[in-house]
Amino acid sequence: QVQLVESGGGLVQAGGSLRLSCAASGRVDSSYAMAWFRQAPGKEREFVAALRWSADTTYYADSVKGRFTISRDNAKNTVALQMNSLKPEDTAVYYCAARRRVLTMIPSDYNYWGQGTQVTVSS
């Protein structure tokens, strides 16, 4: 079993920055893919960024490329999402997710989810 706990959300003005963190516990090992998704009110959950514990390759949605950075700290078992140049359209609940082996951008492929953290960007 894998447990994920997000932190770091909040209210920020457009152009500002926030850093989200996801603490993973349980059977997370180098075979896992870790991802961030987000869901705005009335919209479907969408992919934001992902990486694998065992590799440096990262993946981003086009809408956040160049502004967001996903990273991991293996020693602390955490995955972070640094969000810069935030826009009002980034407002959403952000979720950390994990699955074994194959990294995908499809929410339903992920087995483990955190509780979510609210990010609100004011204009």
Side-chain angles (χ1 to χ4, degrees):
Q1 194 72 3
V2 173
Q3 294 83 38
L4 304 172
V5 179
E6 302 101 333
S7 61
L11 172 65
V12 64
Q13 288 188 333
S17 298
L18 280 175
R19 184 177 179 86
L20 305 183
S21 182
C22 173
S25 60
R27 297 181 179 178
V28 176
D29 57 34
S30 60
S31 71
Y32 273 77
M34 304 295 297
W36 287 94
F37 292 85
R38 66 186 182 186
Q39 188 166 18
K43 295 188 177 181
E44 294 187 352
R45 194 165 296 189
E46 65 174 5
F47 171 79
V48 175
L51 54 66
R52 299 184 64 88
W53 279 115
S54 60
D56 291 330
T57 305
T58 55
Y59 303 85
Y60 297 95
D62 288 342
S63 60
V64 306
K65 203 171 292 183
R67 300 187 299 124
F68 290 12
T69 302
I70 187 172
S71 62
R72 72 188 188 283
D73 185 329
N74 290 344
K76 296 181 179 180
N77 252 24
T78 58
V79 175
L81 184 68
Q82 178 67 42
M83 306 185 294
N84 299 328
S85 301
L86 283 161
K87 305 175 181 180
E89 50 264 44
D90 294 319
T91 295
V93 177
Y94 283 71
Y95 296 92
C96 178
R99 64 163 295 176
R100 291 193 69 186
R101 297 190 181 93
V102 180
L103 188 154
T104 78
M105 301 179 185
I106 303 171
S108 59
D109 287 343
Y110 284 75
N111 309 103
Y112 304 103
W113 292 86
Q115 80 286 356
T117 185
Q118 177 70 46
V119 171
T120 303
V121 184
S122 62
S123 57

